[in-house]
Amino acid sequence: MTLEGFENNWKTIIKKYNQESDTWLNGLYEIRHSWIPVYNKTIFFAGMNTTQRSESMHSFFDSFVNNGTTLREFVMKYEKALECRYLDEQDEQFVSKYKFPTKAKSPLELHRAKVYTRNIFNLFQDELTEGIYMRTNELGIDGAHTIYEVSCFRKPETKYVVHINLVSLEGWCQCHLFEFKGILCRHILGILHKRDVEEIPAHFILPRWTKEVIYDMNISLPSKGDELPLILRNMVFFRMVNHLSTYLGASEETYHLIVDSVEDIYKKVVAIEGPIGLNEVEEPRHEEQTDHAPLQDPAISRRKGRKKDSVKLSRKGRIISGVEASMKRRRKCSICKEFGHDARTCEEHNQGC
């Protein structure tokens, strides 16, 4: 948890196992600032200082491409993957904006639910729940900051030191969760809760975790002479529409201005392109350049796991299990006592007849 604690524990282990002259361990110790978490927990990593980001992306693309994917298929599947990711983003934005995540139990929780996105609010809520049950002990004053010692009821031996200005509510905690992840830790939240603070100060709110950050993102577009991919067109258009939707409740005049303008644009587009149904819209990017059939979405399987090459059905349409099918294949004839047939198809019986 502290630099001194790591240094002491490292020396104790090295001495215990007589590894003072080990070249490899000494080399690791020389570069300890690069791999020991206690040295970089004051650096913002958005909570990710491992390979989990690349591993999650590998897992995402595994559902679209494999080692047998051709270069042509990769281009189309890559666009399909980006479109899928964009649609997921739209769903998350809708849920964060229009679905209140909780029945607020405290003013801090109510304030954060209105500001944070759904995923970040869930992380914040976990810290707030733990912070309510923290023990706080005031140690003294250091200039403008008051020093607290915070511990959990379940682990009173583990204590964290918090420096906080009770006027401006600026400060830092020994765990450095806010510096590392951008979310206020349970130790500072415990102090704010006990002092009846109803709103998290603005300096403890990262804009990247808020609901409105998407409207402040500017996308650098190519020049008008360049052809834009469909996914980029959708992204720009929907973000503009989402941004306009925030002004619908401003006034009656603004509402009618937006609706009338959109309706006028729609009439002009229909006059140029003609009426097009939603199911008729296609993007002829690659299909017109080749004789191959266009790449479609995979069929949805109703069973878990890998789809079997062939499925055997009974007379009533029931799927025959592998054990049942093997028992039928091993049926024994009651006349010749051989496997693979029954008395009706037995050759010896037919010859005797």
Side-chain angles (χ1 to χ4, degrees):
M1 187 171 59
T2 62
L3 297 178
E4 296 78 8
F6 165 75
E7 296 285 350
N8 295 332
N9 290 335
W10 179 274
K11 293 178 181 178
T12 301
I13 293 176
I14 293 297
K15 184 177 180 180
K16 178 179 178 180
Y17 295 99
N18 299 322
Q19 298 295 322
E20 291 85 356
S21 59
D22 188 278
T23 305
W24 182 68
L25 289 176
N26 290 333
L28 286 179
Y29 182 76
E30 292 296 329
I31 61 172
R32 60 190 181 278
H33 299 84
S34 302
W35 64 278
I36 298 296
V38 72
Y39 286 98
N40 56 34
K41 64 182 180 179
T42 58
I43 303 174
F44 180 71
F45 281 94
M48 297 182 296
N49 62 339
T50 63
T51 60
Q52 67 186 76
R53 179 65 175 176
S54 60
E55 291 172 357
S56 63
M57 292 307 298
H58 293 166
S59 176
F60 172 73
F61 280 106
D62 280 345
S63 58
F64 293 93
V65 299
N66 52 43
N67 56 1
T69 303
T70 63
L71 182 59
R72 171 184 170 276
E73 292 175 337
F74 172 77
V75 175
M76 290 186 288
K77 288 186 176 182
Y78 180 78
E79 291 185 358
K80 177 65 71 174
L82 292 183
E83 183 178 358
C84 179
R85 178 67 77 175
Y86 174 69
L87 293 177
D88 290 341
E89 180 185 0
Q90 291 292 319
D91 293 340
E92 286 294 330
Q93 291 178 17
F94 178 84
V95 172
S96 295
K97 186 175 182 180
Y98 296 105
K99 291 186 178 181
F100 202 71
T102 183
K103 295 180 179 179
K105 300 177 182 178
S106 69
L108 291 176
E109 190 176 7
L110 176 62
H111 180 233
R112 291 300 84 206
K114 296 179 179 179
V115 177
Y116 280 146
T117 61
R118 184 180 60 163
N119 291 335
I120 298 301
F121 175 76
N122 291 336
L123 298 177
F124 170 82
Q125 194 175 35
D126 294 338
E127 294 296 323
L128 179 61
T129 302
E130 294 292 333
I132 295 176
Y133 303 103
M134 286 289 168
R135 293 175 175 175
T136 59
N137 180 28
E138 185 175 338
L139 299 180
I141 299 177
D142 182 14
H145 291 82
T146 302
I147 304 175
Y148 286 89
E149 185 180 67
V150 183
S151 61
C152 179
F153 284 97
R154 294 187 296 270
K155 296 181 180 180
E157 68 281 358
T158 304
K159 301 177 182 179
Y160 294 85
V161 178
V162 177
H163 294 247
I164 187 169
N165 188 322
L166 298 180
V167 178
S168 63
L169 297 181
E170 296 179 351
W172 58 273
C173 178
Q174 188 179 11
C175 71
H176 295 291
L177 180 67
F178 178 76
E179 291 81 0
F180 177 75
K181 202 170 185 177
I183 300 176
L184 208 55
C185 67
R186 60 192 64 182
H187 313 112
I188 296 181
L189 287 172
I191 297 175
L192 298 181
H193 176 74
K194 287 180 171 54
R195 296 191 63 85
D196 296 328
V197 177
E198 297 184 355
E199 291 188 3
I200 301 297
H203 52 265
F204 283 136
I205 302 175
L206 293 188
R208 66 187 302 143
W209 301 144
T210 61
K211 300 177 182 179
E212 304 300 327
V213 68
I214 192 66
Y215 304 125
D216 298 330
M217 295 176 60
N218 296 322
I219 304 175
S220 58
L221 299 178
S223 60
K224 293 185 177 180
D226 298 333
E227 183 179 357
L228 299 179
L230 178 61
I231 183 65
L232 186 56
R233 299 177 195 173
N234 290 336
M235 183 181 300
V236 175
F237 176 76
F238 283 118
R239 284 182 176 173
M240 291 178 63
V241 171
N242 285 338
H243 189 52
L244 280 176
S245 65
T246 60
Y247 294 94
L248 293 177
S251 64
E252 193 72 18
E253 181 182 359
T254 303
Y255 168 76
H256 288 292
L257 174 63
I258 296 175
V259 174
D260 294 342
S261 300
V262 172
E263 185 178 2
D264 183 55
I265 294 174
Y266 175 76
K267 292 179 180 179
K268 291 181 179 179
V269 172
V270 171
I272 297 174
E273 301 292 341
I276 300 178
L278 294 177
N279 296 329
E280 301 175 3
V281 178
E282 296 181 357
E283 182 66 16
R285 296 187 298 273
H286 306 284
E287 290 78 357
E288 61 184 10
Q289 302 176 4
T290 178
D291 297 333
H292 296 285
L295 190 66
Q296 303 294 335
D297 292 332
I300 300 176
S301 176
R302 295 185 179 182
R303 297 179 296 277
K304 294 182 179 180
R306 183 181 66 87
K307 185 178 180 181
K308 296 180 173 59
D309 298 333
S310 61
V311 178
K312 295 185 178 181
L313 302 178
S314 65
R315 294 179 180 179
K316 296 182 179 180
R318 180 177 57 84
I319 298 178
I320 300 177
S321 65
V323 176
E324 186 177 357
S326 63
M327 291 177 62
K328 288 189 175 182
R329 287 195 300 268
R330 298 293 296 171
R331 178 176 293 178
K332 188 175 181 180
C333 178
S334 60
I335 297 177
C336 65
K337 309 302 181 182
E338 296 293 336
F339 293 96
H341 62 274
D342 54 17
R344 295 174 297 176
T345 59
C346 180
E347 294 181 1
E348 295 182 5
H349 175 69
N350 293 333
Q351 291 176 1
C353 295

